[in-house]
Amino acid sequence: MIEAKGAGVRQEWSPEELLANWTLVNGDWELVANKSGTTRLGFSLLLKFFELEGRFPDVLEEVPPAAVEYVADLVKVPATDFAKYLLVGRTAEYHRKQIREALGFRPSTVADEKALAEWLAVEVCPVELVEDRQREALLVECRARKIEPPGRTRVEKVLVAARGKWEKTFCARTIGRLGEAGTARLLSLVAEDNEAGTTLLAALKRDPGAVGLDSLLTEITKLNDVRKLGLPDELFTDCSEKLVAAWRARAIKMYPSDFRDTSEDVRITLLAALCSSRQAEITDALVDLLVALVHKINARAERRVEKQLTAELKKVRGKEGILFKLATAAVDKPDEVVRRALFPVVGEKTLKDLVAEAKANEKVFKAKVRTTLRSSYSSYYRQMLPPLLNTLGFKCNNTAYRPVMDAMKLLKKYADVDGKTRFYDSVEDEPPMDGVVRKDWREAVVDDKGKVERIPYELCVLVALRDALRRREIHVEGAARWRNPEDDLPGDFEATRAVHYAAIRQPLNPRAFIADLKKRMTAGLDQLSRALADGSAGGVKVTTRKGEPWITVPKLEPLAEPTGLAALKEEVARRWGVLDLLDVLKNADFLTGFTEEFSSVAAYERIERDVLQRRLLLALFALGTNMGIRAIVATGEHGESEAALRHVRRHFITVDNLRAAVTRLVNATFAARDTAWWGGGTACASDSKKFGSWSSNFMTEYHARYGGNGVMIYWHVERKNVCIYSQLKSCSSSEVAAMIEGLLRPCTDAEIESNYVDTHGASVVGFAFTELLKNIGSVRLYRPDDTPPGWPTLGASLTRPIRWELIEQQYDQMVKYATALRLGTAEAEQVLRRFTRGGPKHPTYQALEELGRAVRTIFACDCLASPGLRREIHGGLQVVENWNSANTVLHYGKDGALTGPDKEHAETSMLALHLLQSALVHVNTLLVQRVLAEPAWASKLSDEDRRGLTALFWSNVNPYGTFRLDMDKRLDLGSAIAVPRPRTPTHQAARSTSKSR
């Protein structure tokens, strides 16, 4: 959709929509009867525009060209005459008056503006912080009250007044809830000459360091310090999370002197929002540290023992020769039975001795691991237990985990008992064993007299607690992400069940849902059976592998190489030359205005917009390329100082602002694309890429597959290389959760209908939410019911029927979790934690497994039966690989590692890279389209060229060298290209100087 610059009115209309919305009806013809020529056309268009929008257009370009043509044809006036119509003057005023009277509207008054400001302050500002949406709500309310909205400048004043009223109300309510003692404690944090308060405030702002005992103890101290402030539990309970987050974002960037520069009520509210948010965040961090530290203790002990045993194993003589003989015999006689092929080479007794030795070694290994764990825990890590138990409050709703909770109470009781007391009192305190101590640890925990030893028991309790926390069966009081999982579910679900079911387009009756699934499963199995029988499945066969059913899927035939794309890229470079990457970012901003999304977190900013734009571009380029601000200043010719750029980085470049800028740029790219070349953008692929990161960053982890420490960035990339979402994750976090999160909250208005993922998307729980996968050879096909099978060609690949009764019983609960994901009341990562393997299975997890198996069977049948669909999936997955390749080229500074000591710095770098790479795609899209607009070039592209057409190339770009920024020089794209720009310079000029995004 392409819109006029500065307009919020839809510009593209279908013939049916024009007929329904822009046709003059009986009463309309009476109004235009005495008018002719330009006046007749202009009045008609103003009338229909006002009916649709509830206001008059500010400029003629707001009226859609298609509507002008349609109405001009109705009133028999040339469409070109509309350009002669004047929106100012006595004629226009008279026309407006006529239209208002005909539709029952009246002009707004000063009293109306005051009333609207009051309404906004009470109804809208507490829940909606985005100015554009506040403006939209105001226009809707004016229409409901039959009032013509004030002029644009007056609207901005109403918005400013409403935000001011709401801020005063919010501050007064917060101060009232804090009380005098609470406000005094908060004000002391930023009082002059209070070094202790300044130190505490600085500590509260810092994220935890690398996983370790010191980090955990530091976070415990911070949490206890912030609790001493005595913030009421109900301080912000009735406030939207976005509102509190906006005040927190503003406060966390401020120094003590900045706080003192604000009014006292605002200062108190900022500190309250910061401390309240950080209290929950520190609690979450403590749980994260506990989970990671328990894993680290165990993993480190295992690695140490493995190293010792490996060294000892190498000293045993003859094992390498025996292994070589066995391997040679197995390869030479692969179809022979073991007794005939292997026993003559290596005697049966020798093999039995090897097995016995391996078992003994395994037992020795486990014993040594326990010994090493005990040693490191008792001598170092045990000191964390008393403060941890005294600081965190663990709760549980599941009786199956009651033994773990009882064990925690026992540990807390003995927390202050001298460590020299080796055993628990077996008379008064009987430690729970089942569900707490694993079988392989029993002999280490219980001695030969039946006494339970404290140190190994504590280790077992911590491991059991970690597992229960990760499955969300045990939660923590005062946490946000690790809170009671029941709080993740929408609170109004029971009262608005029908609304929530309709939102995800599912029937209220579970039997109707199941009947549709059964029908789709039967149809899919029928389709696959026919394809295997008639050979249209592209060589797919049902066979066996290692005695198990296996579906053989042959490799796809390679497609012809696109030969015309190289010439197209060369033509782009020939016409526009090699562009500096900084100029690409600059021109993308000229075309889309994404820098307008960066508002300050400070109370006041008096930087001219053109100066701010230049500094933003330089700072974003420094972050996106990973060069850093200092290097950009040292090697650039732009006249900006390091201090100026760091000020912009600190106050303007936030995660929320970056996501808004990316969204604007991505939407502009979709709007500017010619669908004849690029398609509709309804499919995407998703996968992750490992980046290096600082060891002090809490998210940094060792990656078992790729090696080395770092973090992961999970990308969702549209099929023609527009990245619609990016998210930062640790190496061990769930990729299925990341996939779901990106599909639920993409940075685009485009409808994404399908998503291609690699093998991580094949989990049955993930399939309960999404429906695509890559490797399908080992997939099992499930039956819709117990009816005798009618698919003989599928053979042993068919397994048991789906347990539909589980889905029916848990249907409502599954919809609750789906609704929580849709509404964002819970993160996908935290929801899926409840459904991890191990321990007692959650009933809803069992139902989700069955639902996932049914959905996976449906898709597997479609995929196996259709070579075209398999090729589409394979091609889609290559898109993410191409995007990852560009990461390496553009994010070249500091060896490509995400810099910064915490998540905010790393996430900011990630989003700046996303923005920079999206700017390259946007500009290249326009350049390619400009070339292909010429019939001679369009005719040169073959079908293979069209298939491989992409805007993600950098052969025409120079990312290095001296960084020059000339704001007066623009890329020559011929005729102006209109793209959506929700905020205009007029909007910006009228905006308030006080911002609290």
Side-chain angles (χ1 to χ4, degrees):
M1 181 175 68
I2 297 178
E3 300 183 1
K5 182 177 177 179
V9 184
R10 186 155 61 97
Q11 296 293 294
E12 290 187 354
W13 295 75
S14 67
E16 294 78 13
E17 291 172 330
L18 290 170
L19 180 66
N21 296 282
W22 292 88
T23 301
L24 298 176
V25 295
N26 294 335
D28 299 337
W29 286 110
E30 294 176 6
L31 291 172
V32 301
N34 62 342
K35 298 175 177 63
S36 61
T38 300
T39 301
R40 182 182 179 90
L41 176 59
F43 180 90
S44 301
L45 287 167
L46 255 63
L47 173 64
K48 304 310 293 184
F49 188 97
F50 195 92
E51 286 181 358
L52 291 170
E53 296 292 319
R55 64 179 179 88
F56 294 109
D58 293 314
V59 292
L60 295 179
E61 287 75 16
E62 280 195 80
V63 183
V68 176
E69 294 284 348
Y70 178 75
V71 174
D73 185 60
L74 290 177
V75 299
K76 309 302 180 185
V77 177
T80 53
D81 283 6
F82 184 56
K84 304 174 186 175
Y85 186 81
L86 300 178
L87 290 176
V88 293
R90 284 190 296 177
T91 301
E93 286 297 326
Y94 176 65
H95 287 175
R96 291 176 185 231
K97 181 180 178 183
Q98 273 190 294
I99 292 170
R100 283 195 298 266
E101 292 175 352
L103 299 177
F105 278 70
R106 61 178 177 81
S108 61
T109 63
V110 173
D112 289 327
E113 292 178 11
K114 290 182 179 179
L116 288 168
E118 291 284 352
W119 174 81
L120 280 169
V122 174
E123 301 292 339
V124 179
C125 292
V127 294
E128 185 52 72
L129 308 181
V130 179
E131 292 179 21
D132 287 339
R133 292 177 183 171
Q134 292 175 352
R135 189 178 295 106
E136 289 170 9
L138 173 61
L139 296 178
V140 170
E141 183 65 13
C142 285
R143 185 167 188 165
R145 297 186 184 194
K146 293 286 186 176
I147 300 172
E148 180 190 354
R152 184 165 290 180
T153 302
R154 300 297 303 171
V155 164
E156 299 305 320
K157 289 184 177 180
V158 170
L159 292 174
V160 170
R163 287 193 290 269
K165 289 177 183 291
W166 162 241
E167 185 175 281
K168 288 181 180 178
T169 302
F170 179 57
C171 292
R173 188 173 66 190
T174 302
I175 293 171
R177 290 175 177 177
L178 285 168
E180 291 185 8
T183 56
R185 285 191 291 267
L186 287 175
L187 288 173
S188 67
L189 292 176
V190 294
E192 290 191 80
D193 302 324
N194 183 0
E195 188 174 340
T198 302
T199 303
L200 173 58
L201 187 63
L204 288 180
K205 293 181 180 182
R206 284 194 296 269
D207 281 350
V211 175
L213 180 61
D214 290 341
S215 292
L216 186 135
L217 296 176
T218 300
E219 293 304 302
I220 289 175
T221 302
K222 283 163 58 174
L223 184 57
N224 287 327
D225 286 343
V226 75
R227 283 177 177 174
K228 290 176 183 176
L229 296 173
L231 300 179
D233 293 336
E234 70 282 0
L235 184 59
F236 296 117
T237 51
D238 55 351
C239 300
S240 74
E241 292 181 2
K242 290 182 180 179
L243 175 67
V244 180
W247 282 76
R248 173 208 177 277
R250 180 175 163 188
I252 206 164
K253 299 285 186 178
M254 298 172 69
Y255 294 109
S257 58
D258 297 326
F259 283 103
R260 292 192 291 269
D261 289 340
T262 62
S263 61
E264 185 174 283
D265 57 344
V266 172
R267 187 186 321 156
I268 294 168
T269 307
L270 284 168
L271 289 167
L274 174 64
C275 294
S276 175
S277 299
R278 288 299 294 155
Q279 183 170 321
E281 290 167 9
I282 294 169
T283 304
D284 282 334
L286 255 179
V287 180
D288 290 333
L289 280 167
L290 172 62
V291 169
L293 192 56
V294 172
H295 173 72
K296 180 179 178 180
I297 295 170
N298 283 273
R300 181 170 288 181
E302 288 184 1
R303 285 198 301 270
R304 191 178 302 169
V305 174
E306 280 177 357
K307 191 174 180 181
Q308 293 172 0
L309 291 181
T310 301
E312 292 175 6
L313 184 63
K314 289 179 180 177
K315 297 177 182 178
V316 180
R317 297 177 61 185
K319 283 190 174 64
E320 292 85 352
I322 293 172
L323 179 61
F324 176 74
K325 291 177 182 178
L326 287 173
T328 303
V331 172
D332 290 344
K333 301 177 181 179
D335 300 323
E336 190 62 84
V337 295
V338 171
R339 184 172 297 278
R340 294 177 184 174
L342 302 185
F343 283 2
V345 178
V346 180
E348 183 176 1
K349 183 178 182 304
T350 304
L351 290 174
K352 287 182 177 179
D353 290 343
L354 284 171
V355 171
E357 184 181 342
K359 288 181 178 179
N361 285 342
E362 183 179 1
K363 191 173 182 180
V364 169
F365 173 75
K366 290 181 178 179
K368 285 193 174 186
V369 168
R370 291 195 295 266
T371 303
T372 304
L373 267 173
R374 175 176 175 161
S375 174
S376 63
Y377 174 73
S378 61
S379 63
Y380 182 62
Y381 290 106
R382 196 183 189 193
Q383 59 182 298
M384 74 177 176
L385 196 59
L388 186 70
L389 295 175
N390 291 327
T391 302
L392 293 181
F394 298 100
K395 300 291 181 181
C396 181
N397 301 328
N398 191 340
T399 54
Y401 288 85
R402 179 52 52 190
V404 181
M405 296 299 296
D406 292 340
M408 294 294 295
K409 288 181 181 177
L410 181 63
L411 262 60
K412 190 170 184 178
K413 178 179 178 181
Y414 276 77
D416 297 325
V417 175
D418 193 334
K420 295 179 180 178
T421 303
R422 186 176 174 187
F423 299 98
Y424 291 106
D425 189 330
S426 58
V427 178
E428 294 185 9
D429 305 304
E430 184 177 350
M433 302 296 287
D434 294 337
V436 178
V437 181
R438 297 197 303 258
K439 289 182 180 180
D440 58 337
W441 271 80
R442 292 291 175 97
E443 62 182 56
V445 172
V446 183
D447 70 357
D448 52 2
K449 296 181 181 179
K451 292 184 177 181
V452 178
E453 192 172 349
R454 288 177 61 191
I455 291 177
Y457 186 76
E458 288 173 4
L459 277 167
C460 292
V461 174
L462 288 174
V463 171
L465 175 64
R466 175 183 182 269
D467 293 341
L469 283 169
R470 295 185 72 217
R471 287 194 292 271
R472 302 291 303 281
E473 298 296 351
I474 290 179
H475 58 273
V476 179
E477 288 183 314
R481 287 184 294 106
W482 298 98
R483 64 186 176 184
N484 188 341
E486 298 304 318
D487 294 340
D488 293 341
L489 302 178
D492 65 342
F493 187 84
E494 299 301 328
T496 56
R497 175 181 273 100
V499 175
H500 291 307
Y501 272 83
I504 60 174
R505 293 176 289 184
Q506 298 297 351
L508 283 165
N509 189 340
R511 294 182 180 178
F513 175 78
I514 290 170
D516 178 64
L517 268 180
K518 283 185 176 181
K519 181 179 177 181
R520 291 166 57 197
M521 282 185 73
T522 302
L525 290 166
D526 286 342
Q527 177 190 11
L528 177 57
S529 182
R530 287 194 303 270
L532 291 174
D534 61 24
S536 62
V540 173
K541 295 179 182 178
V542 178
T543 61
T544 58
R545 184 175 180 180
K546 297 180 180 178
E548 295 292 329
W550 186 266
I551 300 174
T552 302
V553 183
K555 290 185 178 181
L556 297 168
E557 291 293 326
L559 294 172
E561 287 289 331
T563 56
L565 296 184
L568 178 62
K569 294 173 185 177
E570 289 173 2
E571 180 64 15
V572 168
R574 187 189 67 80
R575 294 192 186 188
W576 287 278
V578 176
L579 305 173
D580 286 339
L581 185 58
L582 182 55
D583 281 341
V584 171
L585 183 67
K586 175 191 70 177
N587 280 281
D589 183 40
F590 287 159
L591 292 163
T592 65
F594 64 75
T595 53
E596 294 172 9
E597 298 293 340
F598 290 88
S599 56
S600 175
V601 296
Y604 300 98
E605 284 292 347
R606 295 184 177 85
I607 304 176
E608 294 294 332
R609 193 67 212 180
D610 57 340
V611 175
L612 177 60
Q613 181 186 29
R614 183 172 66 250
R615 292 176 182 175
L616 278 169
L617 289 173
L618 290 166
L620 290 169
F621 183 79
L623 293 170
T625 59
N626 214 28
M627 285 289 293
I629 289 175
R630 182 173 300 171
I632 291 296
V633 172
T635 60
E637 296 178 3
H638 41 70
E640 296 294 345
S641 67
E642 183 178 345
L645 296 187
R646 292 200 181 279
H647 175 86
V648 167
R649 162 66 182 94
R650 181 177 180 83
H651 290 89
F652 289 87
I653 301 179
T654 65
V655 169
D656 289 340
N657 287 346
L658 274 165
R659 286 214 180 274
V662 168
T663 300
R664 186 161 178 171
L665 181 54
V666 168
N667 282 333
T669 303
F670 280 122
R673 286 202 321 193
D674 184 346
T675 55
W677 292 110
W678 310 101
T682 59
C684 73
S686 57
D687 204 356
S688 58
K689 176 180 172 65
K690 177 180 171 291
F691 284 75
S693 60
W694 286 13
S695 59
S696 59
N697 189 335
F698 174 65
M699 296 188 71
T700 299
E701 291 180 352
Y702 180 83
H703 199 290
R705 179 180 176 185
Y706 300 119
N709 292 326
V711 294
M712 306 296 289
I713 296 180
Y714 196 90
W715 305 105
H716 281 74
V717 186
E718 182 265 342
R719 194 157 50 186
K720 288 296 183 180
N721 294 107
V722 176
C723 184
I724 63 171
Y725 198 69
S726 57
Q727 51 195 308
L728 188 73
K729 56 188 291 295
S730 63
C731 297
S732 61
S733 59
S734 168
E735 290 197 343
V736 176
M739 171 187 66
I740 294 172
E741 195 73 25
L743 293 176
L744 289 171
R745 278 165 273 283
C747 296
T748 177
D749 297 331
E751 292 290 334
I752 303 301
E753 298 174 356
S754 56
N755 182 63
Y756 311 116
V757 296
D758 212 324
T759 50
H760 67 266
S763 78
V764 288
V765 175
F767 247 96
F769 297 105
T770 56
E771 297 189 16
L772 292 177
L773 77 169
K774 181 184 178 185
N775 292 346
I776 55 176
S778 60
V779 73
R780 294 290 173 268
L781 304 178
Y782 288 79
R783 303 177 188 275
D785 49 43
D786 287 314
T787 305
W791 305 284
T793 55
L794 301 182
S797 64
L798 273 174
T799 184
R800 65 170 176 81
I802 295 294
R803 297 168 63 188
W804 299 108
E805 71 280 1
L806 278 176
I807 296 177
E808 184 174 355
Q809 292 165 8
Q810 294 293 321
Y811 180 60
D812 201 53
Q813 197 70 9
M814 288 191 294
V815 172
K816 277 187 181 180
Y817 281 109
T819 301
L821 291 174
R822 180 182 64 83
L823 297 178
T825 58
E827 298 175 359
E829 177 89 17
Q830 296 304 103
V831 169
L832 292 185
R833 283 186 187 277
R834 297 209 74 180
F835 308 124
T836 54
R837 296 177 182 174
K841 275 192 178 180
H842 194 287
T844 310
Y845 175 52
Q846 298 177 42
L848 279 169
E849 280 189 318
E850 293 301 308
L851 174 59
R853 290 178 179 122
V855 175
R856 186 169 65 178
T857 296
I858 293 168
F859 177 76
C861 289
D862 292 342
C863 186
L864 292 168
S866 171
L869 180 56
R870 296 201 298 274
R871 187 176 296 280
E872 180 183 337
I873 294 171
H874 180 74
L877 291 172
Q878 298 307 309
V879 169
V880 188
E881 300 301 325
N882 296 340
W883 182 269
N884 287 339
S885 298
N887 294 165
T888 306
V889 175
L890 302 188
H891 197 70
Y892 53 83
K894 303 178 179 69
D895 296 325
L898 297 177
T899 57
D902 52 34
K903 180 182 178 182
E904 191 273 340
H905 281 84
E907 194 168 9
T908 299
S909 294
M910 173 197 75
L911 289 168
L913 171 60
H914 187 172
L915 184 70
L916 181 62
Q917 206 156 310
S918 297
L920 175 64
V921 170
H922 183 82
V923 170
N924 276 348
T925 297
L926 300 180
L927 299 183
V928 168
Q929 286 184 176
R930 179 75 189 282
V931 174
L932 293 178
E934 300 174 8
W937 270 101
S939 62
K940 288 181 181 180
L941 294 194
S942 63
D943 291 341
E944 290 75 19
D945 294 330
R946 289 173 177 266
R947 172 180 51 80
L949 185 64
T950 176
L952 184 60
F953 59 90
W954 47 91
S955 55
N956 61 326
V957 169
N958 171 35
Y960 317 112
T962 301
F963 304 110
R964 301 178 179 87
L965 184 61
D966 185 353
M967 299 298 287
D968 296 324
K969 184 179 178 182
R970 295 178 180 241
L971 198 60
D972 179 18
L973 291 170
S975 56
I977 297 175
V979 295
R981 296 189 63 176
R983 297 179 185 168
T984 66
T986 307
H987 290 157
Q988 293 294 334
R991 290 172 70 184
S992 168
T993 56
S994 176
K995 303 187 183 299
S996 58
R997 283 178 65 101

